[in-house]
Amino acid sequence: YLVQVFSKIARYHIIYFILMIGVTLICAVLLTLFDLDFEVLMSAEMLLFGFYFMSAFLLSFYPNQEEGGLMTAVMVKYILSSMLLISFAIIYAYILKILILWDIPSNALFRITAVLFFIMIPLCLMNRAYEDNNPLSHIMKWLPCLFIPFLFLQAYSIGIRILDNGITPLRYAAVAFLIFECITLIVYFIFHEKINLLLPAAAAIIFLCCFAPYINMNHVSFYSQKAMLEYYLKLPAEMQETILTADVE
């Protein structure tokens, strides 16, 4: 199913790109010949995006028995998989730098690894549909194992900031996403036949984070920041000044 969806989305993107170029050229001629406002081009592009791209994107999720084409197979087996492996190598090089220099991981690391996780799981699942004549099939099957060290790096990165500055809605969401990553990896390796249950699990986590009484992100963040403020006000004036002037990332 993921391969079929990806194949359709890829084709629709190519068609949309061609149509966008055509609309841009036509509007450029109109703007030049008739002295029209630039908003005409923007309106035409938005109409193309709304009527074609969004409708085509939604139709991509309608399942059928269509096989993924050659272009999809090449992108999944070679191009995207190779780019993902290169990204993993870069992150591991960064981990090596942290271990050598004992640096605190950057805030951006959590966002980068989170995006990497969103790409990795669907791509690893799609590679299962191309096990024949796929030199990266075995590597992609066990690639999530290499993501496990990233979990500890993410936990340290967000944990050190929570200890120093308390919980905020964004940090709360980061912790919830870290829990979802752990659940996903457990399901992927142990209960791989029930991988589709991750969607309701994600919906349940989002509901708890946003709407659950007393444990939603806004409630927890409010009391965490209140506690941090009360602690700060009890400090001597010299320490308060030091905290205010500190460069906190």
Side-chain angles (χ1 to χ4, degrees):
Y1 173 75
L2 287 174
V3 171
Q4 293 171 13
V5 171
F6 178 77
S7 178
K8 287 185 177 180
I9 290 178
R11 289 201 300 271
Y12 285 141
H13 270 80
I14 293 173
I15 295 172
Y16 172 70
F17 181 72
I18 295 173
L19 290 175
M20 186 171 62
I21 293 176
V23 169
T24 302
L25 293 175
I26 293 172
C27 289
V29 173
L30 290 174
L31 293 176
T32 303
L33 297 179
F34 296 97
D35 295 326
L36 298 178
D37 193 80
F38 184 74
E39 291 183 358
V40 173
L41 173 61
M42 298 301 298
S43 299
E45 296 288 358
M46 290 303 297
L47 286 172
L48 178 63
F49 179 83
F51 281 104
Y52 174 77
F53 181 82
M54 290 307 300
S55 58
F57 181 79
L58 293 175
L59 286 173
S60 299
F61 292 90
Y62 182 77
N64 57 29
Q65 300 300 319
E66 181 183 353
E67 295 289 337
L70 178 61
M71 182 190 71
T72 304
V74 171
M75 290 186 67
V76 170
K77 292 196 297 183
Y78 302 109
I79 299 176
L80 295 179
S81 296
S82 299
M83 292 174 66
L84 184 64
L85 292 175
I86 292 171
S87 300
F88 266 76
I90 293 172
I91 300 297
Y92 267 95
Y94 180 73
I95 293 176
L96 185 63
K97 173 178 175 286
I98 291 174
L99 294 176
I100 294 175
L101 302 178
W102 290 103
D103 289 338
I104 297 177
S106 171
N107 265 338
L109 181 64
F110 194 100
R111 295 190 292 271
I112 293 171
T113 51
V115 172
L116 207 61
F117 180 82
F118 269 121
I119 298 173
M120 175 190 67
I121 294 299
L123 193 56
C124 290
L125 292 174
M126 284 191 288
N127 266 273
R128 292 181 180 179
Y130 296 107
E131 292 184 350
D132 297 334
N133 300 321
N134 185 355
L136 300 178
S137 175
H138 189 71
I139 298 175
M140 295 301 296
K141 181 179 180 180
W142 296 102
L143 185 64
C145 289
L146 297 179
F147 192 87
I148 294 176
F150 297 172
L151 298 177
F152 296 100
L153 199 62
Q154 288 177 330
Y156 177 81
S157 177
I158 198 66
I160 195 70
R161 287 166 177 84
I162 290 176
L163 288 175
D164 289 344
N165 304 301
I167 300 175
T168 62
L170 188 59
R171 292 174 190 144
Y172 183 104
V175 173
F177 182 73
L178 183 59
I179 295 173
F180 177 73
E181 287 178 331
C182 296
I183 295 173
T184 301
L185 292 179
I186 292 173
V187 172
Y188 181 87
F189 288 114
I190 302 177
F191 308 103
H192 56 274
E193 294 181 355
K194 299 182 179 180
I195 196 77
N196 57 318
L197 296 179
L198 288 175
L199 290 178
I205 292 175
I206 293 173
F207 177 82
L208 291 175
C209 292
C210 298
F211 305 109
Y214 304 110
I215 61 171
N216 64 73
M217 63 174 65
N218 292 322
H219 188 90
V220 173
S221 300
F222 173 79
Y223 283 100
S224 174
Q225 293 301 312
K226 179 182 177 183
M228 293 294 295
L229 180 59
E230 291 173 349
Y231 172 78
Y232 167 78
L233 293 176
K234 293 178 182 178
L235 295 176
E238 296 81 6
M239 295 186 66
Q240 293 183 9
E241 184 66 25
T242 301
I243 294 174
L244 284 175
T245 55
D247 183 15
V248 179
E249 184 180 3

